[in-house]
Amino acid sequence: MDIDWSKLGFSYITTKSHIEFEYTDGKWNDGKIIEGNPFVSMSIAASALHYGQATFEGLKAYRCADNKIRVFRDIENARRLNASAKYACMPEFPEEKFIDAVTKIVKDNIEYVPPYSANGSLYIRPVMFGSGPVIGIAPAEAYKFIILVIPAGPYYKSGFIGVDAMIFDDYDRAAPNGSGRYKLAGNYAASMTAGKLAKEKGCPVVLYLDPKEHKYFDEFSSSNFFAITKDGTYITPLSNSILPSITNKSLIQVAADIGMKVEKRPVEFSEIDTFAEVGACGTAVVITPVNKIHRCDKVYTFTSDASNGFLVKLYKELTDLQYGRTKDKYGWMRLIE
Ligand SMILES: Cc1ncc(COP(=O)(O)O)c(C=O)c1O
């Protein structure tokens, strides 16, 4: 193992092991840790391959200031995974089994958890998919649930400097009554063309509006949207087509506790001139400031004061808690013993 912790980004590397469970005859087996073979086998007619019957999660383990390793709110990921699984007619994976699997795979890959000084984390990626054969659209009979881990640094190379976001009026990632509120693999396939076009125009991220009217903000391709208004209110969209972000849910709580006014409601695009700061939030991006939003020929600019803005204040509150620099007053961090 030869990792330069100071150069960690957010990309796949093979680590020591992954954990794999199989569902057959109506039940999950006890699972096994597989070393040195980062591949899975499945039917050539697997429902995941043909019909996208697959869901995934993303969460992180941190090496904290006391050198102990803790996982952030993994019970929430277990619940969201099961909500997505139910929507795509996949079997429930018991919450305790999920937590136990996270513990086992983090422990087995302990040397890949970046040191406290590296400011990184171990990114944990659970995936459930239909592995049994189906021809003709229907749920599979057999499933796999795997968890892989990678050491991770910042998602966007620019770090807290911020990124530009692009709104397209001719692309949506979700349908008004569709699967946007679940973490289905297919949602991400549906966002790839827009993502590629945005990058070609110098924007690392796409910002989606509500798919019905393009009147309200929805979310970014890989994170939730929030803004701080000029009067210091934290606002974030209430929408049926966005993923319920665990980071956003946590920031809402933190923002309220530091005395900010918080509003979760439909947010009209026309309110854009009232925003002082705009942020993308999620496990991977943490809080990433958005400097500019491009829509058609218009550019909207925001300033996130890197020393004294609300975004940086919230970032500090959240990461201090995750790295164990402040007391875990919410009980969000689970110690890996
Ligand atoms: C589309 C989308 N929205 C929001 C999020 C943020 O969710 P969380 O904070 O639970 O990571 C993610 C990342 O998982 C995502 O892919």
Side-chain angles (χ1 to χ4, degrees):
M1 192 184 113
D2 185 18
I3 296 178
D4 182 347
W5 299 115
S6 66
K7 295 211 171 71
L8 272 185
F10 194 82
S11 53
Y12 177 75
I13 65 161
T14 301
T15 48
K16 182 180 169 217
S17 60
H18 70 277
I19 192 164
E20 189 171 318
F21 295 83
E22 290 190 48
Y23 181 91
T24 46
D25 300 325
K27 53 182 187 304
W28 289 106
N29 71 2
D30 290 337
K32 57 176 189 276
I33 287 184
I34 298 170
E35 276 193 31
N37 180 22
F39 297 92
V40 283
S41 64
M42 67 181 95
S43 166
I44 57 170
S47 65
L49 294 178
H50 296 242
Y51 306 121
Q53 201 189 17
T55 178
F56 68 99
E57 276 299 324
L59 59 152
K60 282 176 172 172
Y62 301 83
R63 193 176 291 278
C64 296
D66 61 2
N67 208 32
K68 292 187 174 152
I69 293 169
R70 294 180 180 84
V71 179
F72 183 67
R73 304 193 82 171
D74 53 349
I75 186 71
E76 296 284 339
N77 296 92
R79 290 179 184 146
R80 193 171 63 187
L81 176 94
N82 282 326
S84 304
K86 188 171 177 199
Y87 183 78
C89 297
M90 295 194 276
E92 180 181 353
F93 194 81
E95 286 173 12
E96 325 78 68
K97 214 172 160 93
F98 181 102
I99 302 286
D100 186 53
V102 167
T103 303
K104 283 190 177 130
I105 205 60
V106 171
K107 277 180 142 174
D108 203 54
N109 288 276
I110 208 112
E111 71 266 41
Y112 288 93
V113 184
Y116 172 68
S117 59
N119 232 352
S121 57
L122 188 74
Y123 180 73
I124 303 165
R125 170 59 68 82
V127 194
M128 188 196 290
F129 56 94
S131 53
V134 189
I135 293 290
I137 306 165
E141 297 276 317
Y143 294 86
K144 290 202 177 192
F145 175 66
I146 60 170
I147 308 181
L148 59 96
V149 293
I150 54 161
Y155 191 79
Y156 298 116
K157 287 191 187 68
S158 55
F160 209 77
I161 298 162
V163 296
D164 282 19
M166 175 74 74
I167 292 175
F168 290 102
D169 277 296
D170 43 359
Y171 288 97
D172 294 310
R173 76 183 280 279
N177 294 308
S179 59
R181 61 192 184 279
Y182 302 108
K183 208 163 164 59
L184 296 193
N187 295 347
Y188 297 83
S191 73
M192 284 184 187
T193 296
K196 182 167 168 274
L197 292 174
K199 283 198 187 82
E200 283 167 9
K201 292 174 194 288
C203 295
V205 63
V206 178
L207 174 55
Y208 289 97
L209 301 180
D210 80 277
K212 191 171 178 193
E213 297 178 89
H214 275 211
K215 182 174 169 192
Y216 301 96
F217 287 99
D218 248 3
E219 65 171 335
F220 299 101
S221 33
S222 58
S223 51
N224 269 183
F225 170 94
F226 71 102
I228 311 294
T229 60
K230 287 173 184 160
D231 65 2
T233 303
Y234 182 110
I235 58 170
T236 194
L238 179 69
S239 161
N240 205 23
S241 46
I242 66 179
L243 193 75
S245 155
I246 296 158
T247 313
N248 198 3
K249 183 174 173 182
S250 309
L251 288 173
I252 286 170
Q253 172 104 51
V254 168
D257 286 353
I258 61 170
M260 293 175 73
K261 197 171 156 215
V262 174
E263 291 176 7
K264 186 171 181 182
R265 58 166 174 80
V267 183
E268 282 198 25
F269 182 80
S270 61
E271 295 177 54
I272 196 161
D273 293 331
T274 68
F275 302 161
E277 297 176 81
V278 170
C281 67
T283 299
V285 304
V286 194
I287 290 178
T288 296
V290 173
N291 294 336
K292 289 190 175 117
I293 294 178
H294 302 249
R295 185 180 186 189
C296 303
D297 292 335
K298 280 198 134 172
V299 182
Y300 304 84
T301 304
F302 311 95
T303 46
S304 43
D305 181 344
S307 59
N308 201 25
F310 280 107
L311 251 51
V312 83
K313 208 172 282 175
L314 290 167
Y315 179 88
K316 194 168 172 321
E317 288 282 335
L318 183 67
T319 52
D320 278 354
L321 190 149
Q322 289 170 329
Y323 286 99
R325 291 187 285 266
T326 51
K327 196 167 166 278
D328 177 20
K329 61 177 172 177
Y330 307 109
W332 286 344
M333 305 306 292
R334 185 170 69 80
L335 182 67
I336 300 289
E337 309 219 54

